[in-house]
Amino acid sequence: MDLFGLGPDGSYKLIAVIIYFIAMLLIGYYAFKKTDDGDDYMLGGRRLHPFTAALSAGASDMSGWLMMGLPGALYMMGMFQAWMAIGLTIGAALNWIFVAPRLRRFTEVTNDSITIPSYFENRLGDKSRILRIVSGIVILVFFTFYVSSGMTAGGKFFQSAFNGSYLTGMLLVAGITLAYTMFGGFLGATYTDTVQGLIMLAALLIVPVLAVISVGGPQQVIDGVLSVNPDFGSLMKGGTIVGAVSAAAWGLGYFGQPHIIIRFMALRSSRDARWGAAIGVGWMVLSVIGVIVTSMAGIAYFNLNQDKQLTDAKSAETVVLDLAQNLMPSLLAGFVLAAVLAAIMSTISSQLVVTSSALVEDLALVFKPGMSKTTKLWLGRVAVLIVAIIAAFLALEENATVLGLVAFAWAGFGSAFGPVVVLSLYWKRLTNWGAMAGIVGGATVAFVWSKSTTLSTLGGALSEPLYEIVPGFLTCLVLAVVVSLLTPAPGEKELAGFHHMEAPTQAVPIVQAAGAGSTGDAGHRGPGMKA
């Protein structure tokens, strides 16, 4: 069998990828049939099972970073890069434990908020609407870069898997993802993410096992790694303290990632968060272990088989792909390739939905209120298309690294939203002006810091640039607290969410911009909410 001149091996791999594409489109169609209006499109009616929420959050979080960026970083620089995985795992656990349950309930009692910007506005009683608009703009800016990182990973994928054109691969991945996301919305992204999370986990357990066997066993892997890099296993050698802090600081970003915490808002109830935490963190730990073993086995394998080479020798971001193609029958290798595609596409889809929500719910509706739910639904689909096109143009720069693009966007969200999300859930004194100052200050510092070598090294005082999420997060936190203390304290209306948390069995008025209703958690829904 020889499809499109790829040869038998390439044809079988292509068949596996086509099967995967068809499965994603079918899931997207299923979600399309279950999506009735704009609220469904953006949050799925708050009926997400914790298993679905956990796996979809993990898959949309990890993206091409898990299957390409992290394995490449470990392959090139050793276990020092594991600080990133350590920070992320701790951050994910804290996010599920401390943010998920409270955010699920807070967003319901604050006028049934279905986006992060609308939650900020309703929770803090911002009548000017500026906070909502600024938050929506931050989401648009950083998510456009984030979506672009996924498309870049898609182009690299097709270069490695089929020796094809970067541009063709990038456009194909973008097009398929766009199709099921544009019509399936939040549910389409979530259901496909769940399946993709399972595919990714399977690949990260199977590939390293085969690689270890191929080089003769665990001891041979260790010997092969140490012969190439004697300091591979050290968490401190191969880098600096600044580098370790920067890598571990990735964990701070979790609290402010809209495409992750929106899953918390969509849970059936706040009580589901405990199960989501166990499933999500367990999935993450297994996946990270798989990545570490894969990178080690990859070093040993390519050192032993020097006639074989990495497709991307510069960053080694194709090590998982290359191992699969060298160690597995073509059809099975194709399904591992599909796992890499799953990692890439799961994140793109989730980010497109959140960006669409920001455009429609947090920007368009501010200037044109009273829009029907059907209009919101179709406007959301148009918004997905527009953002995808802009991100594709940014992804035309083939030389951009996946990890570099992800790092920039991750820091932007972590710096702008992270402290504000946590403070809004646990600190009664937070004001709308404090939140505004924190968001603008954190986003600005993260953006400027990432572009200035002089600033990021403190004028040469640091041995290497400090990851921008550290100063950005701290700036947001300090500004939010200081400005809140300098501005009038929130009134009883803004604190209704806290009263609900402190007395969950009592009826507490829902926080609304105009009028009042009532709601509760776990099935007791306010006006306009789907049962």
Side-chain angles (χ1 to χ4, degrees):
M1 181 182 294
D2 187 2
L3 299 177
F4 307 109
L6 294 173
D9 288 346
S11 297
Y12 281 116
K13 288 185 288 187
L14 181 60
I15 289 172
V17 170
I18 290 173
I19 292 172
Y20 164 77
F21 279 149
I22 293 173
M24 295 302 102
L25 291 172
L26 289 175
I27 294 172
Y29 177 74
Y30 172 75
F32 168 73
K33 299 297 288 184
K34 298 189 68 167
T35 301
D36 299 324
D37 54 41
D39 290 348
D40 272 357
Y41 189 80
M42 296 174 191
L43 200 60
R46 295 190 194 266
R47 53 180 183 266
L48 216 57
H49 190 280
F51 181 84
T52 304
L55 286 188
S56 64
S60 65
D61 155 29
M62 288 304 185
S63 70
W65 173 83
L66 181 68
M67 303 294 291
M68 298 180 74
L70 181 59
L74 288 166
Y75 186 100
M76 297 298 290
M77 290 171 277
M79 283 294 289
F80 180 79
Q81 293 298 315
W83 280 111
M84 189 186 301
I86 293 170
L88 286 169
T89 302
I90 294 173
L94 294 176
N95 208 23
W96 271 104
I97 294 168
F98 293 106
V99 173
R102 292 180 73 92
L103 185 65
R104 169 60 181 84
R105 293 171 67 183
F106 262 81
T107 53
E108 190 173 7
V109 300
T110 51
N111 200 20
D112 188 22
S113 305
I114 63 173
T115 67
I116 295 302
S118 66
Y119 162 67
F120 287 155
E121 178 183 84
N122 293 324
R123 158 68 180 84
L124 300 171
D126 181 36
K127 296 180 175 60
S128 71
R129 316 219 77 178
I130 297 175
L131 178 59
R132 186 169 186 164
I133 294 171
V134 169
S135 300
I137 292 173
V138 169
I139 287 175
L140 282 178
V141 171
F142 285 107
F143 261 150
T144 301
F145 283 99
Y146 217 148
V147 171
S148 178
S149 75
M151 294 182 179
T152 297
K156 288 190 174 187
F157 166 85
F158 270 87
Q159 278 184 316
S160 172
F162 302 107
N163 196 27
S165 161
Y166 169 86
L167 179 62
T168 301
M170 185 268 288
L171 293 176
L172 182 60
V173 169
I176 297 291
T177 310
L178 176 62
Y180 72 71
T181 305
M182 189 163 64
F183 292 100
F186 178 81
L187 289 177
T190 300
Y191 292 158
T192 53
D193 285 356
T194 302
V195 175
Q196 289 161 337
L198 293 172
I199 294 173
M200 291 159 62
L201 180 60
L204 289 174
L205 294 178
I206 293 171
V207 171
V209 169
L210 293 178
V212 170
I213 292 172
S214 72
V215 297
Q219 187 59 52
Q220 284 72 23
V221 169
I222 294 172
D223 292 342
V225 169
L226 294 179
S227 69
V228 175
N229 180 2
D231 295 326
F232 180 91
S234 173
L235 286 172
M236 292 310 300
K237 290 185 179 179
T240 64
I241 294 178
V242 174
V245 170
S246 293
W250 277 69
L252 292 174
Y254 266 107
F255 308 115
Q257 304 300 318
H259 61 299
I260 297 174
I261 59 180
I262 195 173
R263 262 70 179 190
F264 304 159
M265 297 161 58
L267 285 167
R268 297 174 306 185
S269 79
S270 60
R271 290 185 292 275
D272 282 340
R274 72 183 71 176
W275 296 108
I279 296 166
V281 176
W283 178 90
M284 191 170 182
V285 169
L286 288 174
S287 297
V288 168
I289 291 173
V291 167
I292 293 172
V293 177
T294 299
S295 65
M296 293 177 64
I299 293 172
Y301 177 84
F302 287 107
N303 183 53
L304 186 64
N305 300 276
Q306 297 191 5
D307 57 318
K308 304 182 186 298
Q309 295 182 343
L310 288 169
T311 303
D312 182 2
K314 182 178 179 181
S315 65
E317 289 185 340
T318 58
V319 61
V320 175
L321 294 171
D322 293 331
L323 281 174
Q325 293 179 87
N326 280 294
L327 297 173
M328 303 176 75
S330 299
L331 187 61
L332 292 179
F335 285 109
V336 174
L337 300 183
V340 179
L341 272 178
I344 296 167
M345 295 168 66
S346 61
T347 300
I348 296 176
S349 61
S350 297
Q351 292 163 348
L352 285 174
V353 170
V354 175
T355 310
S356 168
S357 301
L359 274 169
V360 177
E361 189 75 14
D362 304 316
L363 296 176
L365 283 178
V366 169
F367 299 104
K368 189 176 176 58
M371 194 182 298
S372 72
K373 290 188 176 183
T374 301
T375 301
K376 284 169 59 179
L377 172 64
W378 285 99
L379 188 58
R381 288 171 175 157
V382 172
V384 166
L385 177 62
I386 293 171
V387 173
I389 291 173
I390 295 172
F393 274 109
L394 291 175
L396 291 175
E397 185 184 352
E398 183 177 345
N399 292 326
T401 65
V402 175
L403 194 57
L405 289 168
V406 170
F408 174 71
W410 185 270
F413 284 125
S415 300
F417 294 149
V420 176
V421 168
V422 175
L423 289 173
S424 73
L425 297 175
Y426 287 94
W427 191 42
K428 295 181 180 181
R429 190 61 178 79
L430 181 67
T431 67
N432 61 314
W433 293 112
M436 174 76 71
I439 290 170
V440 173
T444 301
V445 168
F447 191 91
V448 173
W449 194 277
S450 68
K451 305 299 179 184
S452 171
T453 303
T454 301
L455 187 62
S456 62
T457 60
L458 298 180
L462 301 179
S463 57
E464 62 181 284
L466 179 66
Y467 185 26
E468 56 265 28
I469 199 172
V470 177
F473 191 95
L474 291 175
T475 298
C476 177
L477 180 61
V478 171
L479 285 176
V481 171
V482 171
V483 174
S484 291
L485 293 174
L486 294 176
T487 50
E492 286 302 308
K493 186 176 182 180
E494 288 75 32
L495 294 177
F498 274 97
H499 298 327
H500 179 82
M501 299 299 292
E502 292 166 356
T505 59
Q506 300 177 20
V508 179
I510 192 170
V511 181
Q512 294 182 324
S518 62
T519 188
D521 193 24
H524 302 287
R525 304 183 182 278
M529 294 187 66
K530 290 176 67 67

